[in-house]
Amino acid sequence: HRDLHSFPTRRSSDLENKRFTCYPSIAKEINSGIYCDKPTVIDDKIMTGRGVGAALDLGLLMVSVFYGKENAEKLQKAVVYGV
C-alpha cells in the first residue's frame, strides 16, 4: 500500500525554490519550496493541486498547458464548471 500523502515529502528536493500547494495538513511536513494556499499552482514544470476539491481546477490547468487555453475553456463549459 502506497501512502500518497507522503509522496511530496519523499521528493521535496523537486520543490527546491518552487511554488507548490498540497493538502493543508501536510504542508508543514514539506521542508523545501514555497507553499501557496491556493487550489492549484504551476511553477516551471511542476503542477500541484491542493486536494480532491481542486481536481477539476488542476485538470483544467493541465488541459490549458498541454492543449491550449481555448480547449480548456471548451472543456470547462462542456462539464458546466464555473460558468
Side-chain angles (χ1 to χ4, degrees), residues 6-77:
S6 65
F7 176 75
T9 58
R10 290 193 300 253
R11 303 268 319 222
S12 63
S13 63
D14 292 344
L15 297 174
E16 194 69 38
N17 299 316
K18 303 288 185 195
R19 294 177 306 116
F20 73 95
T21 191
C22 63
Y23 196 76
S25 67
I26 66 165
K28 57 187 162 224
E29 295 176 26
I30 301 173
N31 46 4
S32 69
I34 304 154
Y35 176 73
C36 299
D37 186 15
K38 296 182 177 182
T40 61
V41 174
I42 184 170
D43 192 339
D44 195 26
K45 295 181 180 181
I46 297 176
M47 294 181 216
T48 53
R50 193 162 183 213
V52 174
L56 282 172
D57 291 327
L58 185 59
L60 289 169
L61 175 66
M62 290 178 173
V63 170
S64 181
V65 168
F66 294 116
Y67 301 103
K69 186 176 179 178
E70 183 178 306
N71 284 316
E73 289 171 351
K74 286 180 185 177
L75 179 59
Q76 182 178 358
K77 288 178 184 173

